Amino acid sequence: MTEQQPLVSIVIPCYNHAQFVQETIQSVIDQDYENIELIIIDDGSKDNSVDVIQEIIPACKERFIRFEFRFRPNKGLCATLNEALEWCEGKYYSAIASDDVMISDKCSIQVEFFIENPEYDAVFGSAYIIDNNGKLIRKNKKKSEDVTFKDLFLVKKMVSAPTQMIKLDAIKSAGEYPVGEYIEDWYM
C-alpha cells in the first residue's frame, strides 16, 4: 500500500517538553496513514526530553518508512525547522510541536484532499484545545473555505498552525524559516 501513497514528512521540534513529547510521537505512530517519515530534533532541551524520546525510538524505527532523531545544542525553533526541512524527502510536510497531538486520521484526510485538489499548496483543519492533562477545553471548528495569502497577511482569516500539511516543494520554494522570528508558523 505505501508504494501508492505519497510520502508524508512529519517533523517534531522539541525543546523542554519531556512531559508531552512521547504522547506527541505516539500520535504520529498511531496515524492510520502508512507512508510517513518522522524527523525529531531536540533543540538543546534542559529537561530529560532526550531520554524520554530515546525510550520510544524502537517503536519509531519499526513504524516509519524513515526515521531520524537528532539532538544538539539550542539554536532556536526556526533553525531547527530549517535543519529538519533539509532532511525531508516527502511530497507533503507537516510540523507538529512537541506538546501537540494529531488525531489518528489527520494524514489520510489531508493527503486525500491534496490528491483530489492538486491546485492547493496547503491544508489546515479544526483543532481541539486541550489542557496539560489532555482534557478538552474547547473545539476550534473551522468551516471549509479557501484562504489566500492576502487573507492571512491582513488577518482577515485565521488558520490553526498545528493542523497544517503543506506541499514540501511549496514550503521549500518559500525559503527558510527566518531565524529569530517569534511566530514562525504564521510567517511561513
Side-chain angles (χ1 to χ4, degrees):
M1 181 75 174
T2 59
E3 301 85 35
Q4 299 170 349
Q5 294 181 323
L7 181 63
V8 173
S9 299
I10 298 179
V11 171
I12 302 174
C14 182
Y15 182 72
N16 291 341
H17 278 152
Q19 71 187 72
F20 304 113
V21 70
Q22 272 196 359
E23 185 178 4
T24 301
I25 296 167
Q26 189 63 50
S27 76
V28 180
I29 290 171
D30 292 342
Q31 289 296 297
D32 63 4
Y33 190 84
E34 291 297 318
N35 201 16
I36 295 173
E37 69 174 352
L38 177 62
I39 299 165
I40 304 170
I41 301 176
D42 184 86
D43 188 31
S45 290
K46 297 185 183 341
D47 64 5
N48 66 329
S49 292
V50 171
D51 296 332
V52 170
I53 293 167
Q54 287 175 329
E55 291 173 6
I56 202 165
I57 285 176
C60 292
K61 287 182 175 179
E62 183 178 320
R63 163 61 172 95
F64 299 110
I65 302 302
R66 184 170 164 258
F67 172 71
E68 295 279 343
F69 172 54
R70 305 282 164 95
F71 55 95
R72 48 147 175 77
N74 183 269
K75 294 182 182 178
L77 180 56
C78 290
T80 301
L81 291 171
N82 289 335
E83 186 177 327
L85 276 172
E86 291 177 21
W87 296 333
C88 290
E89 295 179 357
K91 180 168 184 167
Y92 305 112
Y93 163 85
S94 183
I96 180 169
S98 52
D99 63 344
D100 290 336
V101 292
M102 291 183 173
I103 60 169
S104 62
D105 56 354
K106 175 195 184 290
C107 289
S108 59
I109 289 170
Q110 291 180 324
V111 169
E112 182 178 338
F113 177 86
F114 277 125
I115 291 170
E116 293 173 0
N117 302 279
E119 67 276 15
Y120 289 91
D121 287 328
V123 62
F124 296 81
S126 298
Y128 297 102
I129 309 303
I130 57 175
D131 66 16
N132 287 348
N133 300 311
K135 182 181 175 208
L136 180 65
I137 296 171
R138 72 178 179 279
K139 295 178 186 179
N140 282 358
K141 184 82 173 144
K142 301 289 182 189
K143 63 181 181 176
S144 181
E145 64 181 327
D146 288 350
V147 178
T148 66
F149 174 77
K150 184 177 179 180
D151 293 333
L152 293 174
F153 184 76
L154 297 175
V155 195
K156 290 182 176 180
K157 307 262 173 105
M158 301 293 278
V159 293
S160 182
T163 69
Q164 54 79 24
M165 184 177 286
I166 305 170
K167 289 180 179 175
L168 185 61
D169 60 354
I171 200 157
K172 284 185 174 183
S173 71
E176 293 188 335
Y177 287 93
V179 175
E181 185 71 29
Y182 180 69
I183 306 176
E184 82 297 329
D185 46 9
W186 279 106
Y187 178 87
M188 249 344 183

